[in-house]
Each structure stands twice: as C-alpha cells, then as structure tokens.
Amino acid sequence: MICLIEKLKKEYLGRSIVTLLGIVIILVTLSITGFLFYKGLGTFVTYNHSVWEFLFSSDWKPADNFDGGGKVGAAIFIVGSLLISFLALLIATPFSIASAVFMTEISPILGKKLLQPAIGIFVGIPSVVYGWVGLTVLVPAIAHVFNLPYGFSVLAGGIVLALMIFPTITSVSVDAIENVDNGYKEASYALGTTRWQYIYKVMLPSATSGILTGVILGLARAFGEALAVAMVIGKMQTFPDNILSATNNMTAEIASDMGNSAQGGEFNDALWSMALLLLIISFIFILIMRIIAKKGEEVK
Amino acid sequence: MDKIKFDTKSLDLFYGDFQALKSINIKICENEVTAFIGPSGCGKSTFLRCLNRMNDLIDSVKMKGEIIFDDKDINGDIDVINLRTRVGMVFQKPNPFPMSIYENIAYGPKCQGLKDKTQLDTLVKESLTKAALWEEVKDRLNKSALGLSGGQQQRLCIARTIAMNPEVILMDEPTSALDPIATAKIEDLMSSLKKDYTIIIVTHSMQQAGRISDKTAFFLMGEIVEFDETPKIFTNPNDKRTEDYITGRFG
C-alpha cells in the first residue's frame, strides 16, 4: 500500500503539477484574448462605428460618455505605430546583423567577452529609462541638429525603439548563425574562398529564416512598446509630414487616455479597440514567424 | 620514381597540450591514390587536414615541422586561399551548400572571380561529368542540391572540388556515411580521377584501402607505423603492429 502511494507520488504528482500549470497559462492567454475581443468590439457593436472608419479615418473625437456619436478614426495612431516601428527596424537591423556576424565569425572571443554582456545590459534597462534618456538627450539633440523648435518626432521614437529592439534581433540572429551547419564553413574554406565570401554567400543566406524571425520579434516588441515612445513622440494628433514631425501612436494614446475616460464609454471602448488591434497585429507577427520558420525547416 | 607532391618532414601537431601527430615523415607521389588507415583517434584525419591548412579553423592547434608542397613549405608564409584552390577536400558527411546543384559547382569558381556564363556552364557540365553525376542531374541543375540522395550529394561535393581544377584531392572518409552501392560508385570514380589528380584518402575500411589505393600508410597513436605499396602492407607488412591491425586483432 505504502509502496503504491510512493509510486503514485513519483509517477503522477510531478506530472499533474506541470500539466495543471500549463493549463492555467493556456486559460489565462485565452481569457485575455476573449476579454480584449469583448471590450474591443464595443466600438463597433455598442456604438455602431464601422471597422472602416476605425482603421482608415483620421477623425479622432470619441465622446467620453455612454451616448456615443463621436468620431473614432484611429488612422493617425496606426500610421504612427507602423512608421516608428519600421523606422526602428530600419535602424536596428543592420547593426544587429553586423554585431551577430562579428560575435560569431569575426571575433568570437571579443564578441563573447564584450559585446554579449553589453547586449545583456541593453535588455535589462527598463523602458522608462530609455524614454527618459531619449527625452533629455535625443529630443534636444534632434531639435539642435535639425534646427527645430522642439525635437519630439518620429525619428526620436524610432531611435529609442531601435536601441530597445537591437538586443532582440542580435541574439536571435546569433542563434541562427550558430545553427548554420559547420560543414558549410569547412566546404567553403576548402574551396579556397575567403571568410567574407563564406559569410555573405553561404552563411547569411543559410541563416536568413532565423534572422527574419529575429527581425519580426523585434518588430513585435517595437509595436507593443508604449512608455518610451510616449515620452519622445510628441503626442500630436496629426499625420507626420516627415520623420522629424511629432505624431502619436496606438500604445502612447492608450497609455495616456485610458485613465481619463469613463469605463464602458465610447472613448474608453475606442481605446480598447486599439488594444485589440495591437493583439491582432501581434498574432499576425507570430503567424509570419511560424511560416518563415517552417520554410526554413523545409530548406534544411 | 614518380614526382613527389607532398614531402612532410618531422611534423608535430598539438591540440593545446595534447600531441596528436608525432614526427610525421611521408612522401606522397603525384597521380597516385594514397590511403591513410588506422584506428579512430590515431591522427590520420588530423594529418589530412594539415595538407590544406584546414586545421587553421581550430584555434588551439600548434604545429612544428615542414610540409613541402611543390617546393614550398605550406606552414610557412604562403597564400592559404591559393593553397586550398590547389588542394581540394571532400568531407566525411556530404555537405553540399543549400543552393541549386548548378550554384554548388559554380560557387568556388565564382568566388575566384569567374563571371562568364558560358564558361561557367561548361565548367559545371565538365565537373559533373567527371564526377559521374551529369546524367542523373542534367535536367534539374536548378533544383536544390539538398534533394539529392546521400551518394549523389557526395559525388556533387567531389564535382564541386573538381570544378576548382585542383592538383590534389583530399578525401576524409568520403564513403563512411553512404550505402554499399553509392560507395562502389565513388570508389570507381576515384580510380578514374587518379589520372588527373593526386588523391589522398582517409578510410576506416581496410577493404576500401586495399581496393583503391596504390600506397597505404598505417597510423597509430599519432605516428606513421608503416608506409608502403598497398599490396605489401596487406600481405607482408614489416611491422608487427600493422599486421595485428590488418588481421583485425585490434582497432
């Protein structure tokens, strides 16, 4: 009997706990998703706005009451989010790939000793610190360099975000490069190619799907970041004329107005719709990553 | 006496503190197949990789002694890139690049600066023909090389090496990952390539060494115990240890 209990403990206790915790996580994810859909659809169901208006109109005057009748065009915020995230990607990706190549092929010793810890520190800095440094250093610097009245801008947001997503893209790229079959390297060197020829003709193409995964992960992170962007973007409700103009984005708008609007009112629901849109976009990113990863597997 | 291609003089090699090769002296002749045999870890692959400086890829390797390749010590101040275009290598595991069959062959010559499409086309066809692969792949040159069978992949790797027009081809257990039929094809290929190239092969299979090589070197614990004509090594070795290994008493 005791033996049986012992056996049950050994066999099932650990497994049950792990299974239970796993189920809890799945339930939490599902309920957050469900809740976001419930809240986010209010704009369209309760207040009868069209999805078209929400996505493509720039007229943003949601009524902060329960009667509705305001305007919920979120195009400025959506464009702002897209613009800043892609700008961040454009700035960060070359540095990330270069750093990854440096750490894996050019100078692994220096890379592992200096660059890797530095990247670890990058990850550990809280986003409010990035935002604050951006606000005190970057924003005045942009104003000074470009001779503007103030430096709050898409560019400032892009640079701050680039710093924040650089470590993500770099570390995923390093993994991707380290996963490249060492046989390719030997084969290439044995054919009398230079290190650089190997890197750009064989290694990087082989690591492309992994590097792309890193890029999309970085993009997803850039898209979701609120605080740091909110501090440097200027929160202007206009489309930016160029990357030096101030604008606003979804996360910054949610962060600044979520506490100022009545629960369940049109304004509040419109913010929830933006939150839902962020979730949907991150789902799309995950989907793209899966497809790329699968394509990468097929090539192998 | 045939022309000597590689003349190694008292070569020592260390991995950190571990001495993997001890005073290797061997003369390898042109247009012959030379086989290196011996138990695992005896240094035969390590020595093979000295001949095209592939050990440069490992940081902890230190070497002493000379390897004279056509009058020049390749451990001295030489152009490694040039050496590797003259001394090609085929590896144990077939390792075609994840590119098309055509691009696999064209890769090396392109890296050397060959751009002319017609010349490349001819080179690809010639190399594949020499490697006895042309008939099997001529209709799918633009398909991925990774879709080929293991034996085809290995012949592609040989074709890729031939495309560089090397003088020597080093083969590191080229058939150990292949089935008997694919192995037989590669062995046939080696005897036909001997006319144009000097071939040095590391093999675990004594039968293979017996079938294909002109001379055989027996390695043990980082030393060359015996080096002679293959029939001599297999029928009447001078050293007791060679005989023990050949007859399967250890290894």
Side-chain angles (χ1 to χ4, degrees):
Chain A
M1 189 62 194
I2 293 167
C3 181
L4 190 70
I5 291 169
E6 277 296 304
K7 202 176 168 193
L8 277 177
K9 262 191 190 166
K10 268 191 194 146
E11 289 276 325
Y12 296 110
L13 192 66
R15 211 167 78 183
S16 318
I17 292 174
V18 171
T19 313
L20 197 74
L21 292 177
I23 289 172
V24 168
I25 293 298
I26 293 169
L27 285 180
V28 168
T29 312
L30 283 178
S31 37
I32 290 175
T33 310
F35 183 72
L36 270 177
F37 269 92
Y38 166 70
K39 284 293 220 177
L41 291 176
T43 310
F44 313 110
V45 178
T46 318
Y47 296 102
N48 286 321
H49 292 287
S50 70
V51 176
W52 183 268
E53 180 195 349
F54 177 72
L55 290 178
F56 299 109
S57 158
S58 60
D59 203 353
W60 176 256
K61 286 189 207 86
D64 193 13
N65 58 39
F66 301 93
D67 308 327
K71 306 278 189 204
V72 295
I76 288 171
F77 308 115
I78 296 170
V79 168
S81 284
L82 288 171
L83 216 56
I84 292 174
S85 303
F86 280 102
L87 182 64
L89 214 58
L90 218 59
I91 299 170
T93 306
F95 285 99
S96 291
I97 294 177
S99 309
V101 169
F102 182 80
M103 282 162 68
T104 49
E105 284 299 317
I106 312 277
S107 177
I109 299 169
L110 207 64
K112 292 264 142 70
K113 268 198 185 136
L114 285 174
L115 212 52
Q116 196 124 19
I119 286 168
I121 292 169
F122 265 106
V123 178
I125 298 173
S127 58
V128 64
V129 175
Y130 278 109
W132 203 6
V133 173
L135 186 65
T136 34
V137 179
L138 200 58
V139 169
I142 288 175
H144 180 75
V145 170
F146 296 99
N147 207 8
L148 299 165
Y150 55 85
F152 295 104
S153 58
V154 174
L155 182 63
I159 292 174
V160 168
L161 276 184
L163 276 172
M164 298 178 69
I165 64 175
F166 163 77
T168 310
I169 307 178
T170 307
S171 52
V172 177
S173 301
V174 167
D175 287 346
I177 290 172
E178 281 178 344
N179 270 330
V180 172
D181 191 339
N182 198 42
Y184 297 160
K185 184 173 174 178
E186 290 195 319
S188 183
Y189 277 48
L191 287 167
T193 62
T194 62
R195 178 164 68 181
W196 183 241
Q197 283 168 334
Y198 161 67
I199 289 174
Y200 82 88
K201 287 190 174 168
V202 178
M203 189 188 83
L204 286 178
S206 310
T208 302
S209 77
I211 292 172
L212 275 179
T213 305
V215 167
I216 292 173
L217 213 61
L219 185 61
R221 176 149 194 234
F223 231 84
E225 174 55 38
L227 204 51
V229 181
M231 291 164 85
V232 298
I233 191 156
K235 295 191 198 163
M236 289 277 285
Q237 242 179 82
T238 50
F239 284 115
D241 298 328
N242 54 54
I243 59 167
L244 294 173
S245 352
T247 182
N248 209 342
N249 77 344
M250 291 194 273
T251 46
E253 173 58 20
I254 294 174
S256 56
D257 282 333
M258 64 185 177
N260 305 331
S261 51
Q263 282 284 331
E266 187 182 55
F267 195 2
N268 200 253
D269 273 13
L271 293 178
W272 279 113
S273 300
M274 280 204 273
L276 177 63
L277 184 60
L278 286 170
L279 181 80
I280 291 171
I281 289 170
S282 90
F283 277 160
I284 293 172
F285 286 149
I286 291 169
L287 206 69
I288 295 173
M289 271 191 292
R290 285 274 165 90
I291 293 168
I292 291 172
K294 212 173 190 182
K295 282 241 172 88
E297 285 298 307
E298 276 166 19
V299 173
K300 275 176 192 160
Chain B
M1 175 101 182
D2 295 319
K3 188 173 173 266
I4 290 165
K5 203 71 191 162
F6 278 109
D7 188 358
T8 303
K9 292 172 185 164
S10 54
L11 181 81
D12 291 323
L13 182 144
F14 299 84
Y15 289 118
D17 294 332
F18 173 72
Q19 185 165 9
L21 292 176
K22 293 166 194 161
S23 186
I24 300 288
N25 289 290
I26 188 170
K27 290 178 169 61
I28 292 163
C29 295
E30 200 166 34
N31 293 65
E32 282 189 346
V33 177
T34 305
F36 294 166
I37 60 168
S40 298
C42 66
K44 54 195 191 304
S45 286
T46 301
F47 178 57
L48 192 75
R49 296 165 68 93
C50 289
L51 301 178
N52 66 343
R53 294 264 303 262
M54 282 304 276
N55 287 323
D56 288 11
L57 296 184
I58 306 165
D59 288 333
S60 60
V61 167
K62 298 265 180 307
M63 272 188 278
K64 271 190 293 191
E66 288 182 332
I67 303 173
I68 310 293
F69 172 56
D70 283 357
D71 309 326
K72 264 200 171 161
D73 180 10
I74 60 169
N75 282 340
D77 186 21
I78 54 129
D79 178 0
V80 181
I81 303 289
N82 178 263
L83 171 71
R84 289 182 186 146
T85 61
R86 294 170 64 194
V87 183
M89 188 166 209
V90 176
F91 298 84
Q92 182 172 3
K93 193 172 149 250
N95 55 359
F97 299 121
M99 315 169 180
S100 70
I101 294 168
Y102 184 96
E103 286 301 326
N104 259 281
I105 309 287
Y107 173 76
K110 273 186 180 171
C111 284
Q112 292 301 316
L114 183 63
K115 287 199 187 79
D116 185 82
K117 179 87 171 74
T118 335
Q119 268 180 297
L120 278 172
D121 287 349
T122 319
L123 189 59
V124 168
K125 183 176 176 184
E126 272 177 14
S127 310
L128 285 168
T129 309
K130 274 191 182 171
L133 191 60
W134 174 252
E135 286 303 319
E136 291 163 59
V137 301
K138 64 180 178 191
D139 300 322
R140 47 171 171 154
L141 291 176
N142 293 316
K143 295 269 162 55
S144 167
L146 304 187
L148 298 172
S149 72
Q152 288 174 324
Q153 288 191 0
Q154 195 62 301
R155 275 179 284 149
L156 179 69
C157 292
I158 293 173
R160 182 172 70 184
T161 306
I162 293 172
M164 298 303 294
N165 197 23
E167 296 154 42
V168 182
I169 301 177
L170 310 175
M171 298 191 176
D172 191 357
E173 298 184 39
T175 60
S176 64
L178 304 180
D179 65 61
I181 295 168
T183 300
K185 279 189 181 164
I186 296 214
E187 287 183 5
D188 287 346
L189 182 57
M190 281 188 251
S191 38
S192 75
L193 291 176
K194 187 170 98 165
K195 298 193 302 290
D196 302 317
Y197 310 96
T198 306
I199 295 177
I200 307 172
I201 175 173
V202 165
T203 176
H204 260 297
S205 153
M206 279 175 280
Q207 290 89 334
Q208 185 169 62
R211 281 193 297 268
I212 59 167
S213 69
D214 300 301
K215 287 191 183 132
T216 298
F218 171 55
F219 281 70
L220 189 65
M221 318 264 285
E223 288 175 84
I224 294 183
V225 172
E226 196 166 349
F227 176 52
D228 214 325
E229 304 283 334
T230 301
K232 172 98 171 37
I233 291 273
F234 279 92
T235 52
N236 186 21
N238 285 332
D239 197 291
K240 179 77 170 59
R241 289 170 294 176
T242 314
E243 191 184 334
D244 286 349
Y245 183 71
I246 303 287
T247 51
R249 242 166 272 168
F250 77 95

